[in-house]
Amino acid sequence: MIRHRVTLFFVREDFARAVAATDLPHDFTLDDLHWPLPGIVVGFPPRFMQEYMGRDVCYVYAANCDAGDYHVSALAGCPTVVVPKNKVGWQFYAWGDGKLESFVTSYFRGDRVDEAISRYGYTDYTGSRDAEGVEADHIATDGYRL
């Protein structure tokens, strides 16, 4: 984070709980968020994340991407990523089942937040989990409980 000058924002537990308990307006989109930078790291209180997601997570890496092609020229063999429409993507690591797991999610910025989770299906790329494990990962990735 220091080398690449990525900003880290820490969220207080009482604020995280207040936001989680808030009902967003029906027409609220990801475009309505005001990002301080195109890429940030958000540090959440571990106890809140354990209760909210059922996983040991505290850092969420987020990117606000405009449509276009993205390539890291400094890394040989790194593919170009094509972003067809403006989107927000995030990634986090979670400790679960005795191993470190990585989750990646993205949504188009024009999507209404209250519909985004139900609009797209969850895809399990590991192929190594039973149906219960895949459902737990789906819940962790989409940030809600059924």
Side-chain angles (χ1 to χ4, degrees):
M1 287 186 285
I2 294 171
R3 181 175 1 146
H4 296 289
R5 299 177 189 252
V6 176
T7 302
L8 174 60
F9 294 91
F10 289 97
V11 178
R12 289 178 47 138
E13 187 163 344
D14 54 347
F15 181 73
R17 291 187 186 285
V19 171
T22 300
D23 289 324
L24 297 173
H26 177 64
D27 61 348
F28 186 81
T29 69
L30 294 171
D31 266 333
D32 293 324
L33 294 174
H34 299 284
W35 286 65
L37 297 166
I40 60 175
V41 178
V42 183
F44 288 96
R47 182 174 63 179
F48 167 79
M49 294 299 276
Q50 177 64 40
E51 291 173 18
Y52 188 73
M53 296 179 66
R55 303 280 173 126
D56 289 322
V57 175
C58 71
Y59 295 108
V60 176
Y61 307 89
N64 187 13
C65 302
D66 291 332
D69 295 349
Y70 292 83
H71 182 74
V72 181
S73 60
L75 300 175
C78 198
T80 297
V81 176
V82 178
V83 177
K85 295 176 15 180
N86 297 339
K87 65 176 12 181
V88 171
W90 54 88
Q91 185 270 336
F92 62 89
Y93 294 103
W95 186 256
D97 299 328
K99 64 183 177 201
L100 184 64
E101 300 173 304
S102 176
F103 295 90
V104 177
T105 302
S106 67
Y107 292 107
F108 293 118
R109 290 193 324 230
D111 287 345
R112 291 196 328 242
V113 173
D114 64 347
E115 294 180 346
I117 291 171
S118 61
R119 179 176 289 175
Y120 307 106
Y122 170 76
T123 303
D124 173 45
Y125 287 103
T126 66
S128 64
R129 301 288 299 265
D130 58 13
E132 185 177 300
V134 170
E135 181 60 20
D137 289 349
H138 179 189
I139 292 167
T141 302
D142 287 342
Y144 72 98
R145 294 188 183 271
L146 297 175

